[in-house]
């Protein structure tokens, strides 16, 4: 396969990779646009030029630009397009470079068709870092090493995460979480009431004002930390929690943390129940035992992610629960695949406490449904609406918090 | 390398060897960093495995929670066995890719300065990156630093650690792929039955050139035939001059990986050189599962792969397995062998015989452990003042019965692994990895009590509490068992086997009940 073929294939493979692997929203028309641009003479000056052209036509955000640049360079290296033609930039270069590649006839730019294009030079070599001779022996520090490494750091790589769910998707889903009530100072004109008052009195009366509509939903986020949730910390903190906090358009968003289950003393009744259950198969007996589990009386939640400042659960609930939409974010043992009866009973006890205050509770699990099987997560999902943290799951969770009914196997 | 496989977490989607190999590939990339967090691992995955269907977002969590990773801080991890992982990296991937990986680490450290709070971590990470990008400069820096570090004890220690890091990188870089390079593992026949197609393959090999296509439906035994053929070749040539490269598209449906690994193996810088170099080396290329890149009419839709095969047909030799035949075009011609599916009932029958043989072999390996554990269990009896009772029985008979029961338990575990597709070599790996753990477990009093429960039961309806056994295993802080061990099934199989083998006779039951009675009597005494 010669270079013409490679050049014919290259944009097509790039286009397909962007669509299939990186889910760029590109249609055949987008490819056609590039084709037309190339025919019109754009993107032929250099590799950078073509990259910029692809970016201008196909990338819709900074993240997409970064991905496109990285993939372009990767593919270009693979195709051996390092020493690509640079007709415009090498006017002053001597004609001793490598043989100029042929441009396929359909791609030859109109304006440059008759030009004598000089050969392409090799890209300038990466300057080798030279250690500066100093009077004193140099100290290896992060700063000095970064200076030494500077010449190597020009490769285009993706440096912003691409999780299964983006910040924007979480924002879009949580914006649907709303329940409007009028509260606060009366600042809006109530036209109907004003007219009615005027008609009733028959004389000029002051205008009737009403309070603005406000979103009364108050998300109460309870996030599991450490242990098996550690690999998801970055995703949960920077995507899920940040998006809900910053853009849910709610009056107040409260976040509390716990580890695995809520810290607190187990009631004697639950202790006795556990002794009865541990030696038997969990799921077959939980149908009957769920009713016997006593709600958690005490318990603590933490106010910061390092789990150092505890606050009693009753106090938190009294302060935060009114009008709250409770969102629990935890893997429920699915990450390690643990099947832990103690965790199940303690979690059910806590859920009972929560349900005593509000029925607006959902559980978000960062792992997909198929990973819940044979773990405590499957047991917990029988008592509380549990959804995976993905596009569809998040919308279902919001629907549930908006009051849509959800069939539970064993409601508490 | 294969000895690291058991330590890759065996979550169900990754329960097969394919998934574990993919996780090891990700792990060997992550091993370049002295420490990593979840975000860095994510960036490594999306930069280097973006088209790898076997590695999704959750594979990152699987790796971080596996025994291969150690948590050293909040969302900060260190990989175990980095030396071996780095060797895998250098053996399988090109220098260009490794340099790119080092650049990623540098850029990440630069763009996210807060992720490594300690300066010492940060400079270790950067120096490691430099060691892989420009070893000479890194060594020069370290040499200059050495004079200054004599005054500073901490700095001296750090330099020693970095010296080791440099050696690690040097050793890994010196690793050369062997002539017999198995990028992906081909399944072996369980057991092998002589087949006509093998003879045809031998005849073709004598020509030493061209492509041989093994065509047959799924499960016909194409891959196992190739595996068998290679084993034969290795035995006949004593593995000296056999130059083979095995790549399976079932494991990695990725053309880039194929060319990268081929480039590393043949030390060639461009794709064009590959067929010539392969021919010069008298190498044999094995491509398993070509149908992933074929259209319905058999045409290969990836032009790079098509070009490679066209040139190999003339310049070198290759065996390709597929469900579809390649269309004849241009200069390409190939030898075609049609594989007839093996009869299913014959496979099952032969597999049962072979399973039995390999499990027996495994049990033999565990025999010393089992007899020691049985002695411990029996000694525990005697210590409990049952010496009088013991007089009525043959002591060796009791010990033997316990030993037999333990053997049956181990057989049940091996059977469970065998059912999950563990082959003989993998079972051997399991022996090595869990030998000490199983011994400590069998010697444990609570575990022994649960396992020997059938001895004290008059009814056959006794059940083993596998949850209790699992809790005990965890309490003893032993290595987590592979996910493939289904503990409930193992307990059921164990009970079935000891009942079938007739290990327990009524006399033993009396003895064990006497032990229990003594225990309760002592307990009552204590209360009263």
């Amino acid at each position: 396969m010669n270079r013409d073929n490679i050049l014919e294939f290259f944009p097509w493979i790039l286009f397909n990779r962007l669509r299939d692997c990186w889910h760029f929203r590109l249609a055949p028309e987008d490819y056609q646009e590039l084709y037309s641009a190339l025919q019109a003479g754009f993107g032929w000056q250099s590799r950078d030029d073509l990259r910029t052209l692809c970016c201008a036509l196909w990338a819709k955000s900074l993240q997409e630009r970064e991905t496109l640049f990285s993939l372009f360079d990767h593919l270009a290296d693979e195709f051996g397009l390092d020493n690509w033609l640079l007709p415009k930039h090498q006017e002053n270069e001597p004609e001793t470079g490598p043989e100029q590649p042929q441009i396929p006839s359909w791609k030859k730019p109109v304006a440059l068709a008759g030009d004598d294009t000089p050969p392409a030079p090799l890209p300038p070599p990466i300057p080798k870092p030279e250690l500066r001779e100093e009077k004193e022996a140099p100290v290896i520090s992060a700063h000095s090493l970064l200076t030494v490494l500077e010449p190597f750091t020009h490769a285009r790589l993706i440096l912003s995460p691409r999780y299964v769910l983006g910040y924007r998707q979480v924002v879009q889903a949580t914006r649907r979480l709303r329940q409007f009530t009028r509260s606060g100072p009366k600042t809006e004109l109530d036209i109907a009431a004003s007219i009615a008052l005027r008609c009733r009195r028959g004389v000029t009366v002051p205008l009737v004002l009403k309070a603005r509509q406000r979103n009364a939903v108050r998300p109460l986020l309870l996030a599991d930390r450490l242990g098996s949730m550690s690999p998801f910390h970055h995703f949960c903190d920077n995507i899920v929690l940040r998006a809900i906090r910053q853009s849910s358009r709610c009056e107040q968003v409260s976040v509390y943390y716990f580890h695995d289950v809520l810290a607190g003393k187990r009631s004697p009744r639950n202790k006795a129940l556990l002794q009865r259950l541990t030696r038997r198969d969990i799921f077959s007996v939980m149908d009957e035992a769920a009713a016997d589990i006593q709600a958690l009386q005490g318990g603590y939640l933490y106010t910061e992610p390092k789990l150092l400042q505890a606050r009693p659960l009753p106090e938190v609930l009294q302060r935060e629960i009114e009008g709250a939409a409770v969102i629990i974010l935890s893997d429920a043992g699915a990450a390690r695949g643990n099947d832990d009866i103690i965790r199940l009973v303690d979690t059910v006890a806590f859920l009972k406490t929560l349900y005593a205050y509000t029925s607006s509770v959902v559980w978000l699990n960062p792992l997909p449904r198929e990973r819940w099987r044979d773990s405590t997560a499957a047991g917990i999902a029988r008592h509380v609406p549990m959804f995976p943290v993905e596009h569809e799951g998040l919308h279902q969770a919001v629907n549930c918090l908006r009051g849509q009914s959800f069939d539970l196997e064993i409601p508490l | 390398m294969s000895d690291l496989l058991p330590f890759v977490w065996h979550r169900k989607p990754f329960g097969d060897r394919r998934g574990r190999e993919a996780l090891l590939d990700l792990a060997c990339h992550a091993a370049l960093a002295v420490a990593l967090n979840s975000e860095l691992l994510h960036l490594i995955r999306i930069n280097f495995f973006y088209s790898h269907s076997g590695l999704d977002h959750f594979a990152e969590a699987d790796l971080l929670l596996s025994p291969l990773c150690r948590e050293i801080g909040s969302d900060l991890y260190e990989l175990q066995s980095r030396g071996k992982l780095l060797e895998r990296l250098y053996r399988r991937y090109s220098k260009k890719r490794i340099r790119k990986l080092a650049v990623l680490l540098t850029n990440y450290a630069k763009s996210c300065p807060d992720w490594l709070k300690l300066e010492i971590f940060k400079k270790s990470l950067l120096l490691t990156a430099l060691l892989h990008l420009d070893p000479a400069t890194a060594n020069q820096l370290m040499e200059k630093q050495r004079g200054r570090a004599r005054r500073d004890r901490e700095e001296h220690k750090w330099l020693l650690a970095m010296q080791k890091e440099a050696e690690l990188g040097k050793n890994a870089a010196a690793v050369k792929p062997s002539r017999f390079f198995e990028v992906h593992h081909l399944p072996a026949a369980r057991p092998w039955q002589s087949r006509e197609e093998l003879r045809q393959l031998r005849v073709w090999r004598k020509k030493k050139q061209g492509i041989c296509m093994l065509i047959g439906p799924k499960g016909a035994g194409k891959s196992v035939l190739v595996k068998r053929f290679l084993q034969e070749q290795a035995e006949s040539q004593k593995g000296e001059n056999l130059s083979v490269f095995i790549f399976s598209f079932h494991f990695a449906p990725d053309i880039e990986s194929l060319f990268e690994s081929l480039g590393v193996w043949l030390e060639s810088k461009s794709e064009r050189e590959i067929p010539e170099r392969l021919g010069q080396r008298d190498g044999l290329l094995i491509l398993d599962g070509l149908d992933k890149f074929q259209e319905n009419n058999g045409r290969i839709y990836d032009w790079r792969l098509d070009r490679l095969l066209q040139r190999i047909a003339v310049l070198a030799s290759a065996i390709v397995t597929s469900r579809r035949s390649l269309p004849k075009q241009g200069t390409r011609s190939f030898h075609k062998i049609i594989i007839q599916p093996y009869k299913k009932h014959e496979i099952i029958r032969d597999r049962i015989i072979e399973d039995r043989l390999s499990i027996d072999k495994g049990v033999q390996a565990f025999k010393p452990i089992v007899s020691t554990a049985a002695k411990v269990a029996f000694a525990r009896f005697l210590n409990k003042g049952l010496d009088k009772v013991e007089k009525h029985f043959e002591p060796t008979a009791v010990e033997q019965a316990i030993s037999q029961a333990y053997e049956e338990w181990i057989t049940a575990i091996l059977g469970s692994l065998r059912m999950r597709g563990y082959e003989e070599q993998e079972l051997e790996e399991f022996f090595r990895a869990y030998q000490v753990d199983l011994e400590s477990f069998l010697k444990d009093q609570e575990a022994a009590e649960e396992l020997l429960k059938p001895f004290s039961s008059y009814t056959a309806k006794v059940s083993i509490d596998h949850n209790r056994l699992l809790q005990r295993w965890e309490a003893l802080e032993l290595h987590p068992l592979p996910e493939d061990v289904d503990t409930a099934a193992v307990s059921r199989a164990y009970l079935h086997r000891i009942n079938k083998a007739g290990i327990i006779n009524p006399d033993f039951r009396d003895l064990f009940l006497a032990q229990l009675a003594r225990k309760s009597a002592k307990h009552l005494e204590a209360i009263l």
Side-chain angles (χ1 to χ4, degrees):
Chain A
M1 181 129 333
N2 57 26
R3 186 172 281 264
D4 294 354
N5 295 100
I6 292 173
L7 287 174
E8 272 174 24
F9 274 107
F10 178 75
W12 177 244
I13 291 176
L14 176 69
F15 180 78
N16 278 327
R17 289 268 170 85
L18 289 172
R19 267 169 60 92
D20 301 342
C21 302
W22 292 104
H23 310 291
F24 274 45
R25 292 188 176 179
L26 296 176
E29 295 80 48
D30 293 305
Y31 187 70
Q32 185 61 39
E33 276 174 13
L34 180 80
Y35 187 89
S36 312
L38 284 171
Q39 276 194 322
F42 294 99
W44 289 102
Q45 303 300 319
S46 66
R47 180 169 138 168
D48 284 352
D49 204 24
L50 180 59
R51 186 170 52 208
T52 313
L53 177 68
C54 292
C55 178
L57 293 173
W58 295 343
K60 310 281 190 305
S61 66
L62 285 175
Q63 273 199 345
E64 285 192 354
R65 189 184 72 172
E66 191 186 53
T67 307
L68 191 141
F69 277 7
S70 167
L71 190 64
F72 185 99
D73 283 3
H74 181 80
L75 280 177
D77 289 348
E78 208 179 278
F79 276 74
L81 297 184
D82 296 334
N83 312 325
W84 199 14
L85 67 169
L86 292 164
K88 191 177 168 185
H89 294 173
Q90 280 129 44
E91 281 163 8
N92 303 325
E93 295 289 329
E95 296 184 4
T96 50
E99 197 184 333
Q100 186 199 330
Q102 289 179 348
I103 305 171
S105 57
W106 62 270
K107 286 177 181 172
K108 280 190 179 170
V110 180
L112 299 171
D115 292 358
D116 291 324
T117 46
L122 288 169
I126 297 171
K128 202 167 181 176
E130 285 176 15
L131 297 174
R132 274 183 293 175
E133 292 293 334
E134 290 171 13
K135 285 175 189 172
E136 202 179 25
V139 181
I140 299 181
S141 67
H143 182 72
S144 69
L145 282 168
L146 275 174
T147 317
V148 175
L149 283 161
E150 186 61 35
F152 297 104
T153 54
H154 298 299
R156 290 189 186 275
L157 291 156
I158 303 168
L159 287 170
S160 49
R162 307 281 190 279
Y163 291 117
V164 277
L165 204 64
Y167 175 86
R168 184 150 180 74
Q169 285 169 298
V170 182
V171 169
Q172 282 168 344
T174 47
R175 272 187 191 157
R176 292 173 51 241
L177 185 61
R178 54 182 182 236
Q179 190 184 4
F180 289 117
T181 51
R182 291 186 183 277
S183 64
K186 293 182 176 177
T187 53
E188 277 185 9
L189 177 65
D190 189 343
I191 298 169
S194 300
I195 295 169
L197 188 66
R198 177 72 193 263
C199 294
R200 201 164 59 242
R201 298 260 175 100
V203 289
T204 308
V205 286
L207 294 170
V208 181
L209 296 174
K210 61 184 176 184
R212 274 184 64 191
Q213 275 197 337
R214 287 169 202 276
N215 190 359
V217 177
R218 298 165 66 189
L220 172 59
L221 295 160
L222 305 178
D224 188 358
R225 296 295 291 189
L226 311 179
S228 58
M229 279 296 284
S230 294
F232 302 103
H233 279 178
H234 194 270
F235 169 60
C236 291
D237 292 353
N238 292 293
I239 306 290
V240 185
L241 296 181
R242 193 161 70 95
I244 297 175
R245 266 177 166 166
Q246 292 180 349
S247 314
S248 60
R249 292 180 181 172
C250 299
E251 273 186 359
Q252 185 191 334
V253 180
S254 314
V255 186
Y256 290 90
Y257 301 91
F258 63 96
H259 172 55
D260 281 358
V261 286
L262 253 71
K265 205 178 171 187
R266 195 174 295 128
S267 71
R269 199 166 116 190
N270 287 354
K271 271 186 196 169
L273 184 79
L274 269 174
Q275 279 180 348
R276 205 150 42 86
L277 288 177
T278 34
R279 294 201 172 215
R280 291 165 65 187
D281 182 26
I282 309 169
F283 292 103
S284 60
V285 292
M286 267 310 273
D287 300 1
E288 303 150 22
D292 297 340
I293 297 171
Q294 200 174 22
L296 184 69
Q297 296 302 321
Y300 292 92
L301 283 167
Y302 297 89
T303 51
E304 40 67 64
K306 287 189 175 170
L307 309 184
L308 294 172
Q309 290 176 357
R311 185 165 288 179
L313 177 67
E315 188 189 314
V316 173
L317 292 178
Q318 271 171 12
R319 274 184 54 182
E320 316 275 2
I321 203 74
E322 197 183 339
V326 183
I327 302 170
I328 303 168
L329 185 61
S330 167
D331 71 305
R336 286 206 167 99
N338 288 346
D339 186 358
D340 185 358
I341 182 74
I342 299 170
R343 185 174 184 171
L344 180 60
V345 169
D346 286 349
T347 308
V348 170
F350 165 59
L351 287 174
K352 280 193 170 182
T353 312
L354 263 185
Y355 275 121
Y357 288 89
T358 177
S359 59
S360 182
V361 181
V362 290
W363 192 299
L364 292 179
N365 195 325
L367 285 143
R369 267 179 218 282
E370 59 270 17
R371 296 286 189 100
W372 302 353
R373 256 178 300 164
D374 303 329
S375 73
T376 323
I380 295 171
R382 299 164 84 203
H383 307 288
V384 64
M386 189 185 280
F387 305 96
V389 185
E390 56 188 33
H391 185 71
E392 198 183 333
L394 208 59
H395 280 277
Q396 283 175 347
V398 172
N399 287 347
C400 198
L401 290 175
R402 282 163 63 106
Q404 201 175 76
S405 64
F406 186 85
D407 284 340
L408 284 172
E409 214 174 310
I410 309 172
L412 294 171
Chain B
M1 195 65 242
S2 55
D3 53 348
L4 282 179
L5 271 182
F7 295 102
V8 183
W9 203 252
H10 302 188
R11 290 286 306 151
K12 287 225 163 86
F14 291 99
D16 57 355
R17 187 170 179 130
R18 197 181 302 173
R20 280 180 280 156
E21 288 276 5
L23 268 191
L24 270 186
D25 283 341
L26 178 62
C28 74
H29 281 71
L32 203 78
V34 285
L36 75 158
N37 64 358
S38 53
E39 192 189 12
L40 180 56
L41 184 64
H42 174 72
L43 292 180
I44 290 174
R45 187 182 67 79
I46 59 171
N47 275 289
F48 296 97
F49 296 93
Y50 62 91
S51 59
H52 200 302
S53 54
L55 285 172
D56 57 8
H57 172 56
F58 311 105
E60 295 161 22
D62 279 326
L63 180 62
L64 291 177
L65 295 174
S66 75
L68 214 53
C69 273
R70 195 164 67 95
E71 199 172 353
I72 50 174
S74 173
D75 195 20
L76 192 63
Y77 301 85
E78 179 193 48
L79 271 159
Q80 309 282 311
S81 309
R82 282 185 57 228
K84 284 191 170 189
L85 288 170
L86 283 176
E87 281 176 16
R88 183 184 171 104
L89 181 73
Y90 272 91
R91 199 185 304 126
R92 291 186 168 224
Y93 297 99
S94 61
K95 295 258 183 327
K96 195 174 171 187
R97 189 181 176 108
I98 296 166
R99 288 171 69 84
K100 203 172 162 188
L101 181 60
V103 171
L104 174 71
L105 299 186
T106 313
N107 281 352
Y108 183 68
K110 208 165 115 185
S111 62
C112 304
D114 295 334
W115 82 278
L116 279 174
K117 299 276 188 301
L118 292 173
E119 166 80 5
I120 198 160
F121 263 142
K122 202 181 288 176
K123 68 183 186 184
S124 305
L125 183 86
L126 291 170
L127 190 55
T128 314
L130 188 63
L131 277 167
H132 292 273
L133 283 168
D134 188 353
T137 310
N139 286 325
Q140 208 179 334
L141 271 177
M142 282 162 71
E143 197 58 47
K144 287 195 173 177
Q145 180 78 351
R146 201 157 289 136
R148 175 176 276 257
R150 283 196 193 105
R151 278 170 269 157
D152 189 343
R153 200 185 161 92
E154 284 299 312
E155 192 70 14
H156 183 66
K157 271 189 189 172
W158 176 76
L159 263 179
L160 284 178
M162 289 317 294
Q163 194 64 44
K164 278 188 185 169
E165 193 62 43
E167 277 170 29
L168 217 65
K170 203 173 151 190
N171 292 342
V175 167
K176 289 256 161 41
S178 60
R179 285 177 72 83
F180 194 100
F181 188 26
E182 202 174 5
V183 182
H184 299 123
H185 169 89
L186 289 180
R190 298 195 297 120
W192 172 253
Q193 285 281 315
S194 59
R195 299 179 76 153
E196 166 57 22
E197 295 91 341
L198 185 62
R199 196 190 56 76
Q200 293 176 27
L201 208 52
R202 279 187 216 127
V203 172
W204 169 80
R205 183 57 183 154
K206 280 176 191 162
K207 286 192 214 163
K208 297 251 172 191
Q209 206 172 33
I211 295 177
C212 178
M213 284 228 53
L214 300 184
I215 301 153
K218 186 187 173 188
K222 303 180 288 291
S223 310
V224 296
L225 184 71
V226 177
K227 176 93 175 179
R228 182 71 187 183
F229 171 70
L230 292 176
Q231 276 174 358
E232 267 190 18
Q233 293 281 311
E235 279 166 21
S236 64
Q237 296 187 21
K238 292 179 183 169
E240 283 171 4
N241 296 319
L242 193 65
S243 184
V244 180
F245 178 89
I246 304 170
F247 193 93
S248 171
F249 290 122
H250 294 303
F251 278 75
D254 185 9
I255 297 293
E256 277 169 50
S257 304
L258 169 71
F259 282 108
E260 186 167 3
S261 305
L262 262 175
V264 173
W265 186 58
L266 295 167
E267 293 166 18
S268 71
K269 284 180 183 168
S270 81
E271 279 176 39
R272 281 183 167 274
E273 289 175 14
I274 287 173
E276 282 91 347
R277 291 224 173 196
L278 192 67
Q280 283 163 11
R281 201 188 258 214
D282 192 19
L284 177 63
L285 171 69
I286 310 284
L287 290 180
D288 188 26
L290 184 73
D291 40 275
K292 302 255 175 204
F293 291 94
Q294 280 179 291
E295 288 170 3
N296 283 340
N297 58 6
R299 207 176 70 84
I300 299 172
Y301 60 75
D302 189 284
W303 63 271
R304 292 165 72 197
L305 186 59
D306 193 37
R307 185 180 66 178
L308 177 77
L309 287 177
Q310 276 186 29
R311 298 193 63 215
I312 280 180
V314 184
L315 298 166
S317 59
I319 299 177
V320 179
T321 72
S322 174
R323 292 181 206 173
R324 297 181 194 97
S325 173
L326 279 174
K328 281 192 180 175
Q329 58 176 45
T331 51
R332 185 173 62 199
S333 64
F334 50 85
H335 184 80
K336 201 193 289 184
I337 299 176
I338 309 287
I339 311 277
Q340 297 299 334
Y342 206 47
K343 284 175 190 163
K344 209 164 188 178
H345 68 272
E346 285 178 12
I347 297 175
I348 293 168
R349 188 200 62 205
D350 295 340
R351 194 168 286 176
I352 288 168
I353 296 167
E354 210 246 353
D355 279 356
R356 186 65 253 168
L357 284 174
S358 70
I359 289 170
D360 282 350
K361 201 174 157 193
V363 172
Q364 286 299 325
F366 276 115
K367 215 149 197 169
I369 301 171
V370 164
S371 63
T372 331
K375 273 189 187 117
V376 172
F378 188 65
R380 211 175 280 137
F381 256 161
L382 299 184
N383 288 342
K384 286 189 174 170
L386 286 171
D387 45 344
K388 285 174 192 169
V389 185
E390 181 256 324
K391 276 176 193 168
H392 298 288
F393 302 95
E394 187 92 14
T396 50
V398 181
E399 201 181 304
Q400 228 170 26
I402 297 172
S403 173
Q404 271 181 12
Y406 283 168
E407 268 180 31
E408 292 299 347
W409 185 65
I410 284 172
T411 312
I413 292 178
L414 297 178
S416 156
L417 291 175
R418 195 75 189 163
M419 289 277 283
R420 298 278 175 143
Y422 272 55
E423 283 162 22
E424 207 163 316
Q425 196 195 345
E426 285 169 298
L427 284 181
E428 276 171 21
E429 282 163 14
F430 176 78
F431 303 149
R432 275 201 298 276
Y434 287 94
Q435 203 172 10
V436 181
D437 290 352
L438 280 169
E439 189 173 356
S440 338
F441 186 69
L442 287 176
K443 282 180 181 171
D444 179 62
Q445 189 171 349
E446 271 191 47
E449 267 178 26
E450 192 61 41
L451 280 175
L452 299 179
K453 221 156 73 176
F455 280 75
S456 56
S457 168
Y458 275 105
T459 58
K461 283 189 179 175
V462 64
S463 65
I464 301 284
D465 185 355
H466 64 272
N467 282 329
R468 189 186 170 197
L469 289 177
L470 263 183
Q471 279 165 15
R472 202 57 215 151
W473 185 279
E474 278 163 18
L476 290 170
E477 292 178 353
L478 306 173
H479 282 117
L481 276 170
E483 283 283 316
D484 295 333
V485 179
D486 181 353
T487 46
V490 165
S491 301
R492 280 197 299 275
Y494 164 66
L495 280 175
H496 179 70
R497 296 188 73 85
I498 53 172
N499 285 333
K500 203 174 157 191
I503 295 168
I504 303 157
N505 66 36
D507 292 342
F508 292 152
R509 286 210 175 101
D510 291 341
L511 178 69
F512 276 79
L513 282 173
Q515 185 206 16
L516 284 177
R518 179 61 60 96
K519 213 169 158 183
S520 9
K522 274 189 179 173
H523 185 61
L524 278 173
E525 273 171 27
I527 293 168
L528 292 168

